[in-house]
Amino acid sequence: PRAYWSLEDGTQSVTASVVPTTGVGTLFFVPPTTGTTPGRITWGAAKDLPGSLQSPTLTGGGSLVGVAPGLPDTGWTIAWAERMSTASGSYTQFDSANGLIILGFILDPGTPNVLDVYLTSTTFSGLIMTHTFTDEAAVDGVWHTYLLRVQQSTSAPTETEFFLDVDGEFSDVYSQVQVCNKLGRFQFSSPASSTTDTAIGHIAVWDVYIISADIYDAAQGFPG
């Protein structure tokens, strides 16, 4: 990977930034800019991801914001593990370096077992991909692995393709007439109004396509 953050810091960690285990780039904890709830990150709070040591949780508007320099304009892949709930309101955002591509991930408030992916510039609008879990209990407070691949189409140079994998399996694909651009920033957030936490772990970025089943198996601790 061009950069990989395991986020397995212990409970006594107080750092506001995290350097990657591999590669270059930095993750920063960013407190909320609105509201009165003090957003926070709690290191080592989540201990229920089978293939991992402890992971941090975000609450009350806190965000983890990262950059991974050196990725090409023609395509990039990012994978991560996340545990969210229907009450957390957590969302994930990916911005291209020129700000033309902004992707937002959030649980559908009307159908809590559906993950919605938006292509947006301001608010969550422009639904492009979805993933439906087997039932609400399959996503509510349960760890899942996600992989997003954004690449320039090989058949249409002015077209960008978006691929989504969930738990090691292909989920959805979307293409749009838009020039691809490198990943500029990614953000994992817990809104100030959230009543439950969001856990994040094992964020990694590549400039090639990765077999997501390998990532899922690792997150599960290779059972058996």
Side-chain angles (χ1 to χ4, degrees), residues 73-75 101 150-163 173-181:
D73 288 334
T74 53
I101 299 174
V150 178
Q151 67 182 32
Q152 181 176 300
S153 172
T154 56
S155 58
T158 59
E159 190 170 288
T160 297
E161 299 171 326
F162 306 86
F163 299 88
V173 63
Y174 175 79
S175 62
Q176 176 158 311
V177 177
Q178 186 167 13
V179 176
C180 188
N181 194 244

Coordinates of all heavy atoms in Angstrom, one line a residue, residues 73-75 101 150-163 173-181:
D73 N -3.3 10.2 -10.8 CA -4.6 10.7 -11.3 C -5.4 9.6 -11.9 O -6.7 9.8 -12.0 CB -4.3 11.8 -12.3 CG -3.8 13.1 -11.7 OD1 -4.0 13.3 -10.5 OD2 -3.1 13.8 -12.4
T74 N -4.8 8.5 -12.4 CA -5.6 7.6 -13.1 C -6.4 6.5 -12.3 O -7.2 5.8 -12.8 CB -4.6 6.8 -14.1 OG1 -3.6 6.3 -13.3 CG2 -4.0 7.7 -15.1
G75 N -6.1 6.5 -11.0 CA -6.9 5.6 -10.2 C -6.3 5.3 -8.8 O -5.1 5.4 -8.7
I101 N -14.4 15.4 -7.5 CA -15.0 14.1 -7.1 C -15.2 14.1 -5.5 O -14.2 14.1 -4.8 CB -14.2 12.9 -7.5 CG1 -14.1 12.9 -9.1 CG2 -14.9 11.6 -7.0 CD1 -13.2 11.8 -9.6
V150 N -11.6 3.9 -7.4 CA -12.0 5.0 -8.4 C -10.9 4.9 -9.4 O -9.7 5.0 -9.1 CB -12.0 6.3 -7.7 CG1 -12.3 7.4 -8.7 CG2 -13.0 6.3 -6.6
Q151 N -11.3 4.8 -10.7 CA -10.3 4.7 -11.8 C -10.8 5.3 -13.1 O -12.0 5.4 -13.3 CB -9.9 3.3 -12.0 CG -11.1 2.4 -12.6 CD -10.7 1.0 -12.8 OE1 -9.9 0.4 -12.0 NE2 -11.2 0.3 -13.8
Q152 N -9.9 5.8 -13.9 CA -10.2 6.2 -15.2 C -10.5 5.1 -16.1 O -9.9 4.0 -16.1 CB -9.0 7.0 -15.8 CG -9.2 7.6 -17.2 CD -8.0 8.4 -17.6 OE1 -7.6 9.3 -17.0 NE2 -7.4 7.9 -18.7
S153 N -11.6 5.2 -16.8 CA -12.0 4.1 -17.7 C -11.0 3.8 -18.8 O -10.4 4.7 -19.4 CB -13.4 4.4 -18.3 OG -13.7 3.5 -19.3
T154 N -10.7 2.5 -19.0 CA -9.7 2.2 -20.1 C -10.3 2.3 -21.5 O -9.6 2.5 -22.5 CB -9.3 0.7 -19.9 OG1 -10.5 -0.1 -19.9 CG2 -8.5 0.6 -18.6
S155 N -11.7 2.3 -21.6 CA -12.3 2.5 -22.9 C -12.8 3.9 -23.2 O -13.0 4.2 -24.4 CB -13.5 1.5 -23.0 OG -14.4 1.8 -21.9
A156 N -12.9 4.7 -22.1 CA -13.4 6.1 -22.3 C -12.5 7.0 -21.4 O -12.8 7.1 -20.2 CB -14.9 6.2 -22.0
P157 N -11.5 7.6 -22.0 CA -10.6 8.5 -21.2 C -11.2 9.6 -20.4 O -10.7 10.0 -19.4 CB -9.6 9.0 -22.2 CG -9.7 8.1 -23.4 CD -11.1 7.6 -23.4
T158 N -12.4 10.0 -20.8 CA -13.1 11.1 -20.1 C -14.1 10.5 -19.0 O -14.9 11.3 -18.5 CB -13.8 12.0 -21.0 OG1 -14.8 11.3 -21.8 CG2 -12.8 12.7 -22.0
E159 N -14.1 9.3 -18.8 CA -15.1 8.6 -17.9 C -14.4 8.1 -16.7 O -13.3 7.5 -16.8 CB -15.8 7.5 -18.6 CG -17.0 7.0 -17.9 CD -17.8 6.1 -18.8 OE1 -18.5 6.6 -19.7 OE2 -17.8 4.9 -18.6
T160 N -15.0 8.3 -15.5 CA -14.5 7.7 -14.3 C -15.4 6.6 -13.8 O -16.6 6.8 -13.8 CB -14.3 8.8 -13.2 OG1 -13.4 9.8 -13.6 CG2 -13.9 8.3 -11.9
E161 N -14.8 5.5 -13.3 CA -15.5 4.4 -12.8 C -15.4 4.3 -11.3 O -14.3 4.5 -10.8 CB -15.1 3.1 -13.5 CG -15.3 3.1 -15.0 CD -14.6 1.9 -15.7 OE1 -13.5 1.5 -15.2 OE2 -15.2 1.5 -16.7
F162 N -16.4 3.9 -10.6 CA -16.4 3.7 -9.2 C -16.9 2.3 -8.8 O -17.9 1.9 -9.3 CB -17.4 4.7 -8.5 CG -17.2 6.2 -8.9 CD1 -17.7 6.7 -10.0 CD2 -16.4 7.0 -8.1 CE1 -17.5 8.0 -10.4 CE2 -16.1 8.3 -8.4 CZ -16.7 8.8 -9.6
F163 N -16.1 1.6 -8.0 CA -16.4 0.2 -7.7 C -16.5 0.1 -6.1 O -15.6 0.7 -5.4 CB -15.3 -0.8 -8.1 CG -15.2 -0.8 -9.6 CD1 -14.3 0.1 -10.3 CD2 -15.9 -1.7 -10.4 CE1 -14.2 0.1 -11.7 CE2 -15.7 -1.8 -11.8 CZ -14.9 -0.9 -12.4
V173 N -21.3 -0.8 -8.9 CA -20.4 -0.1 -9.8 C -21.2 1.1 -10.4 O -22.4 1.0 -10.6 CB -19.8 -1.0 -10.8 CG1 -20.9 -1.6 -11.7 CG2 -18.8 -0.3 -11.7
Y174 N -20.5 2.1 -10.7 CA -21.1 3.3 -11.3 C -20.0 4.0 -12.1 O -18.8 4.0 -11.8 CB -21.5 4.3 -10.2 CG -22.1 5.6 -10.7 CD1 -23.4 5.7 -11.2 CD2 -21.3 6.7 -10.7 CE1 -23.9 6.9 -11.7 CE2 -21.8 7.9 -11.2 CZ -23.1 8.0 -11.7 OH -23.6 9.2 -12.2
S175 N -20.4 4.6 -13.2 CA -19.5 5.3 -14.1 C -20.1 6.7 -14.4 O -21.4 6.8 -14.6 CB -19.2 4.6 -15.3 OG -20.3 4.3 -16.1
Q176 N -19.3 7.7 -14.6 CA -19.7 9.0 -15.0 C -18.8 9.7 -15.9 O -17.5 9.5 -15.7 CB -19.9 9.8 -13.7 CG -20.3 11.3 -13.9 CD -21.0 11.9 -12.8 OE1 -21.9 11.4 -12.2 NE2 -20.5 13.1 -12.4
V177 N -19.3 10.5 -16.8 CA -18.4 11.3 -17.7 C -17.7 12.4 -16.8 O -18.3 13.4 -16.5 CB -19.2 11.9 -18.8 CG1 -18.3 12.7 -19.7 CG2 -19.8 10.8 -19.7
Q178 N -16.5 12.1 -16.4 CA -15.8 13.0 -15.5 C -14.4 12.5 -15.5 O -14.1 11.3 -15.4 CB -16.4 12.9 -14.1 CG -15.8 13.9 -13.1 CD -16.7 14.0 -11.8 OE1 -17.5 13.1 -11.6 NE2 -16.4 15.0 -11.0
V179 N -13.4 13.4 -15.5 CA -12.0 13.1 -15.5 C -11.6 12.6 -14.2 O -12.0 13.2 -13.2 CB -11.2 14.2 -16.0 CG1 -9.7 13.9 -15.9 CG2 -11.5 14.6 -17.4
C180 N -10.9 11.5 -14.1 CA -10.5 11.0 -12.8 C -9.4 11.9 -12.2 O -8.7 12.6 -13.0 CB -9.9 9.6 -13.0 SG -9.5 8.7 -11.5
N181 N -9.2 11.9 -10.9 CA -8.2 12.6 -10.3 C -7.8 11.9 -9.0 O -8.5 11.1 -8.4 CB -8.7 14.0 -9.9 CG -7.7 15.0 -9.6 OD1 -7.6 15.5 -8.4 ND2 -6.8 15.3 -10.5

